[in-house]
Amino acid sequence: MITLHTAATPNGHKVSIALEELGLPYELRVLDLAAGEQKRPEFLALNPNGRIPAIVDHGADDFAVFESGAILIYLAEKTGRLMPRDAQGRSRVIQWLMFQMGGIGPMMGQANVFLRYFPEKIQPAIDRYQAECRRLFEVLDGHLARHEWLAGDYSIADIANWAWVRTHRWSGVPIDGLDHLRRWRDAIRDRPAVQRGIERPPSRIDLTRDGDEQARAFSEQARAMVVTGGNPPRQ
């Protein structure tokens, strides 16, 4: 049994999707990020950085793993699935996983901060991060023009990148004209395990669309977290 400490974010959903794809039994522990539960001592014992997700593998002496990419690699190696075992195949998957960890995730995250959450609009910052997101999407599209999946067969690399790309509207980045990226996005979205994974836990808003009152309220709450650096407010 695995315990997944998580929240309804792209990084959290990366792991819940992988667990569903692998058919591993797991228990969900949903953290209230706005209340600062990720900064409490019991969670910091699992991840000193105070960020979700983290897992505890109770079948391996309660071994804890933090950082979403590291968790995906651990689960793939534990099961022998979603990542090849040969050195070159494994490397291809890890390369595209690191593309997400070092590029897609951070750039979309910064686009979200400056577009949605920052107290004031700094247009040059918004333009910079949205342009970089679009460039990265074009890299994916070019690669997917020649490949069905990112690294051979469907893998943790696809899961990691998809969990972020699916929210491109929330970052204000269109994918018009990126037909290969759209084909890949839709193929992954239609997988039953993926559909289950993005509901574990369900998001309070739909990050694949934009503009309603619920989205604005969510942005206001997230703005408070940005101002405090993700720390709970002082009592």
Side-chain angles (χ1 to χ4, degrees):
M1 174 64 74
I2 289 172
T3 299
L4 169 60
H5 299 259
T6 190
T9 72
N11 283 337
H13 284 148
K14 283 154 61 172
V15 178
S16 56
I17 290 169
L19 287 165
E20 291 289 342
E21 289 279 13
L22 294 168
L24 291 171
Y26 68 101
E27 178 184 0
L28 205 64
R29 297 281 180 86
V30 181
L31 277 67
D32 185 341
L33 304 184
E37 290 184 354
Q38 73 278 18
K39 300 297 184 180
R40 292 179 180 173
E42 57 269 28
F43 184 74
L44 292 175
L46 305 178
N47 181 1
N49 195 35
R51 297 287 189 271
I52 62 94
I55 66 168
V56 177
D57 187 349
H58 302 291
D61 297 323
D62 292 338
F63 184 66
V65 188
F66 66 90
E67 285 293 332
S68 58
I71 296 170
L72 292 178
I73 293 171
Y74 177 82
L75 295 174
E77 292 182 337
K78 177 182 177 70
T79 59
R81 295 172 55 199
L82 295 179
M83 183 169 65
R85 296 185 179 184
D86 67 284
Q88 291 186 2
R90 184 177 183 275
S91 177
R92 290 188 189 97
V93 168
I94 292 177
Q95 288 172 55
W96 284 105
L97 175 62
M98 294 302 108
F99 177 85
Q100 184 277 305
M101 296 293 294
I104 291 286
M107 294 300 101
M108 291 186 72
Q110 290 300 316
N112 293 345
V113 165
F114 285 102
L115 178 66
R116 304 283 180 185
Y117 311 141
F118 210 66
E120 58 185 291
K121 295 294 184 184
I122 305 175
Q123 196 60 47
I126 295 171
D127 294 343
R128 180 264 188 275
Y129 287 113
Q130 288 181 336
E132 179 62 5
C133 290
R134 174 68 189 202
R135 185 191 72 80
L136 293 169
F137 290 170
E138 290 171 357
V139 172
L140 289 173
D141 186 71
H143 182 72
L144 291 165
R146 304 183 303 277
H147 305 276
E148 181 179 9
W149 306 110
L150 289 177
D153 294 333
Y154 177 72
S155 72
I156 57 173
D158 297 290
I159 292 171
N161 282 275
W162 181 86
W164 278 94
V165 171
R166 69 180 286 267
T167 69
H168 69 91
R169 287 191 179 92
W170 190 250
S171 302
V173 183
I175 58 172
D176 298 343
L178 303 181
D179 295 340
H180 307 292
L181 184 66
R182 286 176 174 271
R183 182 268 307 163
W184 168 87
R185 179 201 61 182
D186 294 347
I188 296 175
R189 181 188 59 201
D190 291 342
R191 295 176 68 91
V194 172
Q195 294 173 16
R196 294 192 300 271
I198 58 173
E199 293 298 319
R200 301 280 291 165
S203 178
R204 290 185 291 118
I205 62 166
D206 184 355
L207 293 178
T208 66
R209 62 186 181 89
D210 181 23
D212 59 18
E213 185 59 37
Q214 193 174 20
R216 285 188 287 274
F218 178 86
S219 294
E220 288 294 331
Q221 185 180 61
R223 184 172 297 123
M225 292 180 62
V226 169
V227 170
T228 62
N231 295 306
R234 295 181 183 273
Q235 300 298 319

